[in-house]
Amino acid sequence: MSVAAALVLRPGDGARLRELTRSSAAPAGHVQRARMVLLAAEGLPNAEVGRRVGMTRQTVIAWRARYEAGGIAALADLPRSGRPGSIDEAAVIASTLNPPPSELAVTHWSARLLAGQLSRAGMPVSFAEVARIWRAWGLQPHRIETFKFSTDPQLEAKIRDVVGLYLDPPANAVVVCVDEKSQIQALDRTAPLLPMRFDAAERRTHDYRRHGTTTLFAALEVATGKITADACYERHSNAEFLAFLKQVAKAHPRVQLHVVCDNYATHNHPKVKAWLAKHPRVTLHFTPTSASWMNMVEIFFGLISRQAIRRGSFTSVTDLIGAIRAFIDGYNERCQPFRWTKTADQTLAKAQRQPSA
């Protein structure tokens, strides 16, 4: 039996075929045929090519002929005979956008659940097809997001006031953002953390012991991004807020001090107002209700939660407070100011927009 001559590849096809054999997204059949063609181009006998790719000699000969006739494009599957299947995508989408019927007793669709419901209704469809349609149209029934609108009657005035402080702070004055992060738990894991390895993430036990809580008060200086005052208290009443406000004022002496805070009741307590009346250089500026995200110190609270508290293990409240103080010291060495980029008009447009129908 004579050995077939080496298959001659078309210009540029060698690199494309090798890329196809390394692809993890290409259909397995296409990858197999690309390997056949490349091996045939190396001069291997058809029987040996078939042995290496798991095909018969006749199959190798057929695909060699297909490539010689049509190039790489000819290695694709030919259209199947028979009537192509039809799926009413509009019906799948419409069903997805409507809640499941009450008899199913579920809150949202899954691909399998919807496929079964449509099939029972006389429209056979697989869950894979439902999932494909969802991907194509960006439908994600498993996801949910939250929203909240501020009902503050002084919404616009407060937004313009706070945004004005961020974008155009008064000359020869200091702007700080103040808030409290309450009920920080000193959680002690029941076993030591297992460190990250090359083949495994850091691991911890799911159970823990509680050793009490603390409330962190912090003041972030807008111009520098530094935490210029901090304190941990057992409670967060007006007494603790007033004590902390005095600490903030002491940290910024002899300058006009503008303090951004939220509408928490303790911030408007008569004792706080009385102290402010005696210290006119200190002015409180309130974010609108349900808009504490405008307070930049909340960004810092997010950082300390992710980087120091959430994955920590603390044997006591004192241990927790020590970790908080250590983080703040290190943070102040590397911090940068946060930049507010939206104008008051842009912020108002976002705060007042309606959810999609």
Side-chain angles (χ1 to χ4, degrees), residues 150-167 175 259-265 267-268 273 284-295 340 342-345 347-348 351-352:
S150 175
T151 57
D152 196 321
Q154 297 179 320
L155 175 69
E156 180 172 354
K158 289 180 178 179
I159 286 180
R160 294 193 183 280
D161 181 33
V162 173
V163 173
L165 287 175
Y166 292 158
L167 296 182
V175 179
V259 179
V260 177
C261 56
D262 61 25
N263 283 272
Y264 194 46
H267 302 167
N268 283 298
K273 293 180 178 179
L284 297 191
H285 302 262
F286 297 102
T287 62
T289 56
S290 305
S292 59
W293 50 267
M294 293 188 66
N295 193 330
W340 187 275
K342 301 294 185 181
T343 65
D345 288 336
T347 306
L348 280 166
Q352 295 175 337

Side-chain angles (χ1 to χ4, degrees), residues 20-23 26-36:
L20 183 59
T21 61
R22 294 191 295 268
S23 173
H30 293 187
V31 174
Q32 189 179 49
R33 295 159 201 165
R35 288 186 60 208
M36 288 186 206

Side-chain angles (χ1 to χ4, degrees), residues 5 25 64 99 175 238 288:
R64 282 184 60 145
V175 179
N238 67 88

Side-chain angles (χ1 to χ4, degrees), residues 269-285:
H269 194 274
K271 291 183 179 179
V272 175
K273 293 180 178 179
W275 184 85
L276 290 171
K278 295 179 181 178
H279 299 80
R281 74 179 185 89
V282 181
T283 305
L284 297 191
H285 302 262

Side-chain angles (χ1 to χ4, degrees), residues 37 51 125-126 156-158 161 169 212 216 238 243 245 265 275 277 312 330 340-341:
V37 173
R51 187 187 67 80
V125 60
S126 69
E156 180 172 354
K158 289 180 178 179
D161 181 33
L216 169 63
N238 67 88
L245 193 58
W275 184 85
W340 187 275
T341 59

